[in-house]
Structures are given as C-alpha cells and as structure tokens.
Amino acid sequence: MEPFHAYIIAVDGYSSCGKSTFARLIARELNYVYIDSGAMYRAVALYCLENNLLVGGNPLIEKLREEMKNIIIRFRLNEHTGMQETWLNGKNVEEEIRGIEVSTVVSKISQIREVRSKMVSLQRKIGHNGGVVMDGRDIGTVVFPQAHLKIFMTAEADVRAGRRFKELLEKGMEVGLDEITANIRMRDHEDENRKESPLRKADDAVLLDNSHMTIDQQMEWFRKLWTQIIQRYEH
Ligand code: DC
C-alpha cells in the first residue's frame, strides 16, 4: 500500500452543500492537491454560452460533440492565493464559471456522454498519482471507484440556498433567494435522475450531513475519520 500522502480522497454530494470549502480545507491540511471537477463542467457550459451552442437553454448536442476537441481545460495554481484556478482555452475563467448564467445551464451540459467521458479521463489523469482531494458527483462511483476514502455530503435544500445566497451577495452578484432555491432543487433533480452517472452515494462512502455543522465541526469530524483510514491502511 502506498504511503498515506499518496491517497485519493473523493468528496461527492449535492450542489452547494459546501463540498469545495470542505475539500479544499482537507487538501490544505494534508498537503494534497484540491481538484474541483464541477469547474470543468462549468467551463464546458461557458464555452457553449460563448459559442452559441445553446438554444433556449438546451445544448446543441451534435454541434457540441464536434466542438469537444476544441475545448481545452486546465487548472493552474494562483501563486498569490495558493488556489487552483480554471482556465478555458488559455483564458482564466474562474470567476465567470461561478455566475448564475453558467449555473442555470451546466447540469444539461454535464448529462452529455461525450462531455462526461472527456472530463472523466482528464480527472483520472490529474489524480492518478494520488495526493488529491477531488470533489464532484461521481468521483467515488465512476472516476475513482478505488479511492481510499469516499465522503458523500448533503445538507437540507433551504440551508444550501441560504449559504449560496450569502456567497453571491458577498461577491456583489444580485440574485433572489427564490431563484437560487429553485436552481438548487432543479439541479438536485437533474443530478439524481440523469442517465449518465447519476448522483448517488457509493456503498462504501461515509455520509456527512452538514446542515447543522460549522466548518470547524466538519474538520473535527474529518480528522477522526482520517485517523481511522490511516489505521486501516497502514497497520
Ligand atoms: O459542483 P458544481 O455545482 O460546481 O457542479 C457543476 C455541475 O457539474 C453540476 O450540475 C453537476 C455537474 N458535475 C457532474 O456532473 N459531475 C461532477 N463530477 C462534478 C459536477
């Protein structure tokens, strides 16, 4: 078994339940690389918006299939913030991919098989050496079914909407709480019911419902769990 700095940690779960904050903190604590797989699907969605590959919010699937070869997604470390940022075809799109426009169309884009297979192979390439925390919807079920630790996160929909609302307000984006709640419910439904890699908890994933937990409490929870994982693999 590899030494514990080479492990793969998969963090899956519902949208806006704090996966990225949690996964990023874990990565920092273990000195692992954090990879936000949702950012890749968001970058493809942005590409579709910018290149007229959507009609009435629906992707032109055939055209997008042809265009996939022209979509180059990379992560680059921002030396000032210490965070990985998403680049699409040579442009930093980290901010743009978080807006409501992208959020509204991204789940439709992420249902397309060719999009998924390209993103999954990129994710495997980035993570195969271990020392990564990757968050998403299918990391523990499809991308890395052999992950050493799988965490499945959830929180009540209203709690998630409230958190997202606050986050967007702080960024100066004007969006109503109702719109956000509707967007979250719509995404839950689409994530759970899509044909390609629907969102589901892997049988061997550990459940974390953080509806009523602070981030410090979540980290305490993680540290206890991690001690058990290390004991399981190293003793
Ligand atoms: O985590 P997020 O909200 O940034 O994800 C954006 C979209 O991408 C969301 O609709 C679910 C989808 N996604 C996915 O299908 N598979 C992943 N591994 C990550 C995200």
Side-chain angles (χ1 to χ4, degrees):
M1 183 55 65
E2 313 90 337
F4 73 85
H5 56 264
Y7 289 174
I8 295 173
I9 302 178
V11 180
D12 288 306
Y14 289 90
S15 67
S16 301
C17 65
K19 289 190 303 293
S20 62
T21 306
F22 177 67
R24 191 175 275 129
L25 282 177
I26 295 178
R28 190 190 297 164
E29 183 148 322
L30 302 179
N31 207 10
Y32 277 22
V33 175
Y34 163 66
I35 300 295
D36 173 2
S37 69
M40 300 180 180
Y41 294 97
R42 286 173 176 272
V44 178
L46 179 64
Y47 183 92
C48 293
L49 285 166
E50 286 179 341
N51 292 277
N52 304 317
L53 296 175
L54 286 150
V55 173
N58 293 308
L60 299 171
I61 297 179
E62 279 310 319
K63 264 187 141 177
L64 177 55
R65 279 187 185 132
E66 286 166 25
E67 288 277 330
M68 283 312 290
K69 59 183 181 311
N70 301 324
I71 303 179
I72 312 289
I73 296 165
R74 296 274 178 272
F75 289 109
R76 286 200 195 143
L77 185 71
N78 178 324
E79 307 249 325
H80 299 294
T81 62
M83 297 215 200
Q84 299 282 343
E85 291 180 338
T86 315
W87 289 64
L88 168 65
N89 291 341
K91 184 178 151 215
N92 186 333
V93 293
E94 188 56 39
E95 285 247 323
E96 273 174 282
I97 59 171
R98 310 290 164 189
I100 192 85
E101 258 201 303
V102 168
S103 299
T104 307
V105 298
V106 64
S107 51
K108 290 237 166 70
I109 305 294
S110 68
Q111 292 175 26
I112 301 168
R113 187 182 304 149
E114 287 77 4
V115 174
R116 297 208 71 81
S117 64
K118 182 163 171 170
M119 297 306 115
V120 167
S121 66
L122 190 56
Q123 288 151 13
R124 287 186 179 144
K125 212 159 115 190
I126 295 172
H128 79 280
N129 284 333
V132 291
V133 183
M134 192 174 290
D135 74 1
R137 302 293 189 286
D138 61 342
I139 309 305
T141 49
V142 174
V143 182
F144 291 118
Q146 80 284 20
H148 301 84
L149 172 60
K150 300 178 188 178
I151 297 171
F152 189 87
M153 285 178 77
T154 184
E156 290 153 20
D158 291 347
V159 173
R160 288 185 277 143
R163 289 177 187 159
R164 186 100 185 101
F165 180 64
K166 209 170 138 230
E167 200 179 288
L168 291 175
L169 270 190
E170 281 165 8
K171 285 186 183 162
M173 297 186 191
E174 273 184 42
V175 198
L177 183 58
D178 287 351
E179 194 183 346
I180 294 174
T181 310
N183 179 258
I184 282 182
R185 289 191 194 281
M186 185 266 288
R187 285 210 277 159
D188 284 358
H189 183 81
E190 295 203 355
D191 287 347
E192 286 174 329
N193 293 292
R194 69 186 182 205
K195 234 170 53 212
E196 298 293 328
S197 311
L199 173 65
R200 67 167 184 84
K201 178 183 165 299
D203 293 339
D204 52 350
V206 188
L207 184 71
L208 172 61
D209 180 339
N210 70 4
S211 303
H212 307 290
M213 286 170 91
T214 64
I215 190 65
D216 287 344
Q217 289 169 331
Q218 292 169 60
M219 288 308 289
E220 270 312 299
W221 176 90
F222 170 75
R223 287 183 194 110
K224 284 194 195 126
L225 180 63
W226 188 242
T227 308
Q228 293 168 18
I229 297 292
I230 297 302
Q231 276 170 359
R232 181 192 306 162
Y233 286 116
E234 315 235 340
H235 295 289

